[in-house]
Amino acid sequence: MILIDYILHNAKQLITLSGADKPRAGEEMKNLSIIENGCLAIKDGFIIDIGLINDLKKKYLPKNYIDAANMIVCPSFVDSHTHPVFVHTRENEFEMRIEGKTYVDIAKAGGGILSSIKAVREADEDYLYELAYKRILKMIEYGTTTLEAKSGYGLNTESELKMLRVIHKLNENLPVDIIITFMGAHEFPLEYRNNREKYIDILINEMMPEVKKQGFAEYVDIFTEAHVYNIDESRKILTKAKELGFKIKMHADEIEAIGGAELAGELNAVSADHLGACSDKGIIALRDGGVIGTLLPGTLFSLGSKNYARARDMIKANLPIAIATDYNPGSCNLDSMQFAISLACIQMKMLPSEALTAATINAAYAIDRQKLVGSLEIGKYADFIMLDIPSIAYIPYHLGSNSVKKVYKKGKLINTDIPKL
Ligand SMILES: [Zn+2]
């Protein structure tokens, strides 16, 4: 008999999503690998076995049993695209957009991303940490235990490094895994609007080498869009990022298909995100380049868009897709992966099973953590949630509600006992 920490038992269904040795695509996105009344054997934060209670009892001597109380147990959510470090929320702009004000009107009123940049540059590091800490606590309550977080509201070396240090400290102190992305190419800072080459030069020759030296960031991301970084600028920055040893991500083809997806395919980005206007050619380029298409329906919903990424065409073309919140203060103040799943189903016609796959195992692939999270499998972290619902379809069906009752990260219950600061 092997001594273990506990057996999780009495789950109505254990939704494992196991068996994906590559990101799930096409018909496979519906395959949740469900075990009725399945149990988990857990030791030192890892899943060491999966099966039915009688089989596990024969092999293991658990110190404890954890009762899932007939709830559904599934992998906790992986939010592979967030911007949680900022100072003020921007609900005033939300109201202006409802009144029909344009991006330019908002910028003139002192809003937009430039207001976030100004505030982050001026902010004390501890204050930024405290604000983001509280935001991530909410994500945990909604069932997220692994997230990616980006810099990109500093846009100078000092402030970008400050943001990266904040994310690093959040990763150290919160019971979740945070994957860190440098996004100095989120926008052009005001002081370089008329000298873009100079800012790109700083990004390439000063910021990225310094960020690499500090060792906090794993990814470099860029906002490739008609009004921000064009294709040539994006290729130049991302090529340098790869040379420095970063993995790459892109905000691509959100509003207009300018070839962002094609570039992501060409450079074998780990993920290309948004894709609201991605063309057929773009979808094929992503698939052939081994890129995960990460869809962010919350952003388009929040902006009142009528057009969403063509998830059905992507699934049909065998492009593996993930979904994420895009949590940020401007275009999408969404911290719930459950609501992102609702929007994926309602607005993009994804089935609940496909959306759950996109929010777990495929999202793990989108941050290169598929060996540790995103499914319930032997050798992976015991990262799971208990949901008090009749079936998985209930998650997207019950709009804006939190169906997650318990959240476990590395085998420990975390949604009840985190210090609130
Ligand atoms: Zn974003």
Side-chain angles (χ1 to χ4, degrees):
M1 295 284 262
I2 303 164
L3 190 66
I4 61 169
D5 294 323
Y6 63 88
I7 288 177
L8 171 89
H9 72 130
N10 204 13
K12 179 157 98 175
Q13 287 184 325
L14 189 69
I15 309 221
T16 68
L17 286 118
S18 65
D21 54 359
K22 55 183 194 312
R24 289 188 191 268
E27 283 293 310
E28 267 298 291
M29 285 195 70
K30 283 187 242 171
N31 179 5
L32 300 179
S33 307
I34 298 173
I35 305 174
E36 300 293 332
N37 307 121
C39 300
L40 297 172
I42 289 159
K43 189 173 195 285
D44 300 330
F46 286 90
I47 298 167
I48 62 156
D49 210 342
I50 301 175
L52 296 177
I53 188 69
N54 289 337
D55 300 329
L56 295 184
K57 270 184 171 171
K58 280 179 206 153
K59 290 201 260 181
Y60 303 101
L61 199 63
K63 287 183 214 158
N64 207 348
Y65 282 90
I66 290 188
D67 186 352
N70 205 32
M71 286 192 270
I72 286 183
V73 174
C74 78
S76 47
F77 299 120
V78 177
D79 193 347
S80 64
H81 184 137
T82 81
H83 306 253
V85 181
F86 54 88
V87 182
H88 55 282
T89 52
R90 286 162 37 194
E91 59 277 14
N92 54 330
E93 293 171 30
F94 178 79
E95 202 170 329
M96 287 174 79
R97 281 201 301 271
I98 292 169
E99 290 175 326
K101 299 278 189 333
T102 64
Y103 182 84
V104 176
D105 297 328
I106 292 168
K108 274 191 186 150
I113 188 171
L114 292 175
S115 77
S116 292
I117 292 161
K118 185 169 182 291
V120 164
R121 285 178 175 182
E122 288 165 3
D124 175 73
E125 194 165 321
D126 291 340
Y127 183 51
L128 278 177
Y129 169 82
E130 191 183 312
L131 291 168
Y133 185 102
K134 289 177 180 158
R135 292 172 191 140
I136 294 171
L137 288 187
K138 280 201 141 182
M139 295 182 184
I140 294 171
E141 281 173 33
Y142 291 129
T144 297
T145 61
T146 302
L147 62 134
E148 182 261 14
K150 305 172 198 293
S151 70
Y153 294 122
L155 307 194
N156 62 35
T157 307
E158 187 197 335
S159 303
E160 285 292 312
L161 287 173
K162 176 168 71 178
M163 287 187 76
L164 294 171
R165 281 194 303 273
V166 167
I167 302 171
H168 176 70
K169 200 170 147 196
L170 292 163
N171 183 42
E172 299 273 288
N173 295 343
L174 280 162
V176 290
D177 288 312
I178 306 179
I179 283 67
I180 308 177
T181 297
F182 167 68
M183 200 176 174
H186 198 182
E187 208 359 319
F188 284 95
L190 204 53
E191 60 273 27
Y192 292 107
R193 284 279 162 95
N194 298 317
N195 191 358
R196 293 160 74 105
E197 292 84 48
K198 180 66 192 157
Y199 185 62
I200 292 170
D201 181 60
I202 293 170
L203 268 171
I204 286 179
N205 294 311
E206 184 184 315
M207 292 166 95
M208 292 199 299
E210 188 56 33
V211 167
K212 190 71 203 171
K213 207 165 90 192
Q214 304 266 341
F216 295 144
E218 180 174 334
Y219 286 87
V220 164
D221 193 350
I222 188 166
F223 201 161
T224 302
E225 194 70 41
H227 67 282
V228 204
Y229 291 83
N230 66 34
I231 292 295
D232 289 342
E233 291 165 341
S234 301
R235 185 183 284 108
K236 193 172 168 186
I237 293 163
L238 293 173
T239 302
K240 176 70 180 184
K242 281 185 82 170
E243 278 169 27
L244 287 166
F246 290 105
K247 298 173 197 168
I248 59 175
K249 288 182 164 284
M250 289 176 70
H251 285 56
D253 297 346
E254 178 182 356
I255 319 271
E256 232 181 286
I258 63 162
E262 287 86 336
L263 183 63
E266 173 192 323
L267 297 174
N268 306 115
V270 175
S271 74
D273 301 26
H274 282 296
L275 305 173
C278 186
S279 67
D280 290 339
K281 242 177 83 198
I283 293 173
I284 301 305
L286 292 172
R287 184 194 66 196
D288 293 348
V291 186
I292 305 287
T294 299
L295 311 184
L296 311 167
T299 315
L300 294 162
F301 182 75
S302 178
L303 293 173
S305 175
K306 302 262 182 302
N307 301 309
Y308 285 77
R310 292 183 293 136
R312 288 261 55 99
D313 292 338
M314 293 175 182
I315 292 170
K316 205 166 153 202
N318 276 316
L319 171 67
I321 56 181
I323 53 175
T325 60
D326 193 20
Y327 179 70
N328 76 72
S331 58
C332 189
N333 199 249
L334 172 64
D335 43 22
S336 166
M337 283 295 283
Q338 293 169 75
F339 195 63
I341 289 172
S342 287
L343 294 175
C345 295
I346 297 163
Q347 305 289 28
M348 302 195 296
K349 305 290 176 228
M350 290 176 74
L351 294 169
S353 54
E354 293 169 333
L356 185 66
T357 298
T360 54
I361 186 63
N362 279 7
Y365 274 99
I367 49 170
D368 197 18
R369 288 296 186 282
Q370 63 277 6
K371 291 200 170 74
L372 289 171
V373 301
S375 63
L376 302 178
E377 295 185 74
I378 294 172
K380 285 194 174 187
Y381 290 150
D383 288 8
F384 58 89
I385 49 181
M386 294 186 195
L387 302 126
D388 190 12
I389 55 176
S391 75
I392 277 303
Y394 191 90
I395 301 177
Y397 159 78
H398 195 162
L399 300 175
S401 184
N402 186 9
S403 298
V404 172
K405 290 288 172 273
K406 293 189 176 181
V407 182
Y408 284 78
K409 176 69 179 173
K410 295 177 187 164
K412 289 201 173 72
L413 180 68
I414 63 165
N415 60 326
T416 52
D417 57 354
I418 311 167
K420 297 280 187 251
L421 275 187

